[in-house]
Amino acid sequence: MLVLLFAGLAARVLSYELRLDEQLYIPPAALLAEQALYADFFYNHPPLSAIYFRLIHLLTGAEDLVRSARFGVVLAWAATLALVWGASFSLSRSRLVALFCVLALEVNVYLLTVVGMTATNNFLQIGPIYAGLALFAHGAMSPSRRALWTFLSGVSLSLAIGVKLSAVYYVPPLAMATLFVPWDLPFRQRLLSMTLPMALGGLVGAVPLAAFLVADPDRFLGHIVGYHLGPHVAYWDVTRHAQDVVAFGLGEKLRLAFDVWFQGTNLLILAAVFAFLGLGMAADRRVPWDLWSALGLAILFAAGLSFLPTPSFPQYFVPPLAGLVLMPALLWRAVDDARRVAAIPILIALAGLMVVVGSPRLLESSATLALGGPTTADRVEAAADQLRAALPGEPSGPVATLAPVYVLEAELPVYPEFATGQFAYRVAPMAPPETMSHYVTTGPGQVGQLFDANPPAALLTGFSDALEAPMIAWARANGYAPVPAVSFQDRYGTAVLWLPEPQ
């Protein structure tokens, strides 16, 4: 069953429509061949997601970017599900519980949306966060290898932060927990076997981040922190009514969090957590309150900090789910044999409901591909073919666009200022010059100067009318005209390719 569900999951990833954020995350797989992250193009996230997609692109040998990027997402899913199975079985000693925990991710209706299906860092963080928490639990319960597991926990959490900064939510509560867990150990032994190994592992895992930070601290922090605290907030404050998923106030964030945490699959996981918690508390076995409390508080801490970013989007509420999926296996360990007999039907029923809720999405995608429907990579490659046909030979300059994936897929040059999409360009009017000095970009008011100095071989528009307006105005004023040979579509619009009119 798991294999069939995974086949459906892979089909959904490979056929899920291209999204705006992927215009940021996918291009570095090509750009890093000759350019440096942050210094040569804009990237407002930690570096490991960009490096991951670059490595996948190199290892697969895929000629097209989207295919290798989406394959990277499938690979991340496979690794994460294998990790969840192994850790859940190790903690619970029950294949049924391990199956439940795997299904909690594999058919999770929240993760079967843009959050888990697209080539971004949103899903990539779940695996290393989960590994960090599971290794911490193993360290607390394994006297013989406690220092090793806790060291690896620190490494995993630092790697998660290198993928997405929100993984840092787990660091303060777990670092504090090492001072108290296991409670029956003398304080000095906890320091030596828990606190120090975790700190050392955290430092080792943070080496990639530290390398970028030391190389150019102002530029690195300007991309990772400054962007999200300044111009990003200002941009969405102006355009907050453009999308319903944008949440600014606490009430809107609570509604968004409720939609993520307390509906569908995640509600069923919570039901299992509270059921096993009650059964474990009623059992005759010794209950590891210290470990339960530490991980429970860590999840609650991560959930609380998920409300801090402004504005909020659904993907901001991902981190607590990594801990939530771990808890059923950990709690099952304390349920005695007599109560397990009563709990097994509950577990089977909840797992069955998960499959019922999530599998239609997987079946739909599987059927589409089975009937010969194109994958996302096929659609992007077809669009790239149109661009290559319209621009034969060596182009006279870069192609100007806020959708660089299509241009890079066609192996055509792009402006560094637009190499990762619209994200730096759109905030330029709201950002102070000091902040913008850290980014390789331009703003709507400076497009004309950029194109005058380095005229584009073509302009590809049609995906964001307001942001593309200065580009289109320049094109019309300088003798460029749309060509009918290019007219592919995506969810954001219909492509328009502008070429210089023959003299």
Side-chain angles (χ1 to χ4, degrees):
M1 179 181 69
L2 290 179
V3 174
L4 290 176
L5 289 173
F6 184 77
L9 176 70
R12 186 166 176 82
V13 171
L14 296 176
S15 60
Y16 204 85
E17 59 188 342
L18 192 72
R19 293 302 183 103
L20 179 64
D21 284 359
E22 291 182 287
Q23 301 289 351
L24 172 78
Y25 288 97
I26 293 178
L31 299 173
L32 286 174
E34 298 179 353
Q35 300 178 45
L37 200 63
Y38 309 120
D40 293 328
F41 59 89
F42 177 81
Y43 195 75
N44 61 339
H45 289 281
L48 293 190
S49 55
I51 294 172
Y52 173 77
F53 287 123
R54 172 62 180 166
L55 289 175
I56 293 297
H57 186 61
L58 292 175
L59 292 173
T60 59
E63 295 183 359
D64 52 293
L65 293 172
V66 175
R67 199 176 308 278
S68 67
R70 290 294 180 90
F71 175 76
V73 178
V74 173
L75 186 62
W77 268 98
T80 302
L81 293 174
L83 172 65
V84 171
W85 173 271
S88 299
F89 181 74
S90 177
L91 288 170
S92 67
R93 295 300 174 187
S94 167
R95 288 184 175 84
L96 182 59
V97 173
L99 174 65
F100 175 86
C101 293
V102 169
L103 289 174
L105 280 185
E106 193 171 25
V107 293
N108 192 300
V109 292
Y110 171 59
L111 296 177
L112 295 180
T113 65
V114 62
V115 175
M117 298 293 100
T118 54
T120 69
N121 62 1
N122 294 315
F123 181 79
L124 297 184
Q125 65 178 318
I126 292 180
I129 291 176
Y130 180 91
L133 297 174
L135 289 163
F136 177 86
H138 276 289
M141 296 185 297
S142 306
S144 61
R145 297 182 178 178
R146 177 166 291 136
L148 173 61
W149 297 135
T150 313
F151 169 82
L152 293 175
S153 174
V155 172
S156 295
L157 290 173
S158 281
L159 291 176
I161 296 168
V163 172
K164 192 171 180 70
L165 201 59
S166 56
V168 77
Y169 297 166
Y170 280 102
V171 173
L174 287 185
M176 185 67 68
T178 62
L179 300 174
F180 301 97
V181 179
W183 182 249
D184 56 359
L185 278 185
F187 181 71
R188 184 174 182 275
Q189 288 189 32
R190 288 198 294 270
L191 281 178
L192 295 176
S193 64
M194 296 288 290
T195 308
L196 292 179
M198 175 168 275
L200 181 59
L203 291 174
V204 171
V207 167
L209 279 177
F212 283 92
L213 178 62
V214 171
D216 194 340
D218 290 339
R219 186 183 299 276
F220 179 73
L221 294 176
H223 281 78
I224 306 302
V225 179
Y227 176 85
H228 291 97
L229 294 181
H232 174 69
V233 178
Y235 170 79
W236 283 109
D237 190 38
V238 173
T239 61
R240 65 168 69 190
H241 300 297
Q243 296 188 47
D244 293 336
V245 296
V246 181
F248 265 81
L250 180 59
E252 294 173 322
K253 293 180 181 181
L254 285 169
R255 174 184 54 80
L256 197 56
F258 181 87
D259 290 343
V260 174
W261 296 336
F262 300 107
Q263 293 193 37
T265 315
N266 296 327
L267 185 61
L268 297 173
I269 302 172
L270 283 171
V273 167
F274 284 108
F276 297 166
L277 177 62
L279 292 170
M281 291 171 63
D284 296 329
R285 298 181 179 181
R286 178 180 176 272
V287 174
W289 284 110
D290 52 353
L291 180 57
W292 286 10
S293 301
L295 290 176
L297 289 172
I299 296 169
L300 290 175
F301 189 83
L305 292 187
S306 298
F307 289 90
L308 287 182
T310 299
S312 283
F313 299 88
Q315 62 266 29
Y316 290 4
F317 298 94
V318 166
L321 300 183
L324 190 63
V325 171
L326 176 70
M327 293 306 292
L330 186 65
L331 295 171
W332 183 264
R333 194 181 182 94
V335 180
D336 59 32
D337 292 339
R339 288 175 174 82
R340 286 184 178 185
V341 173
I344 285 175
I346 299 174
L347 192 61
I348 294 174
L350 291 174
L353 285 173
M354 286 181 179
V355 174
V356 169
V357 170
S359 58
R361 292 168 173 80
L362 305 183
L363 292 172
E364 178 187 10
S365 302
S366 300
T368 299
L369 293 188
L371 293 173
T375 65
T376 303
D378 292 334
R379 291 192 291 269
V380 174
E381 180 61 25
D385 288 341
Q386 292 185 25
L387 294 177
R388 280 191 288 261
L391 286 164
E394 188 70 24
S396 59
V399 177
T401 183
L402 298 180
V405 166
Y406 295 112
V407 179
L408 292 170
E409 189 80 29
E411 299 182 350
L412 297 170
V414 296
Y415 284 90
E417 291 82 357
F418 308 123
T420 50
Q422 63 176 256
F423 299 95
Y425 168 81
R426 73 188 187 187
V427 304
M430 299 87 170
E434 181 181 356
T435 299
M436 293 302 295
S437 68
H438 299 310
Y439 311 148
V440 178
T441 190
T442 190
Q446 292 76 46
V447 162
Q449 300 173 25
L450 174 67
F451 292 167
D452 288 341
N454 183 18
L459 297 92
L460 179 64
T461 64
F463 308 106
S464 180
D465 293 342
L467 294 175
E468 292 168 345
M471 298 180 175
I472 294 172
W474 185 91
R476 286 173 171 157
N478 287 270
Y480 288 67
V483 294
V486 174
S487 60
F488 60 88
Q489 294 180 328
D490 65 16
R491 69 178 281 112
Y492 303 102
T494 301
V496 179
L497 185 69
W498 301 75
L499 293 177
E501 293 186 283
Q503 298 296 322

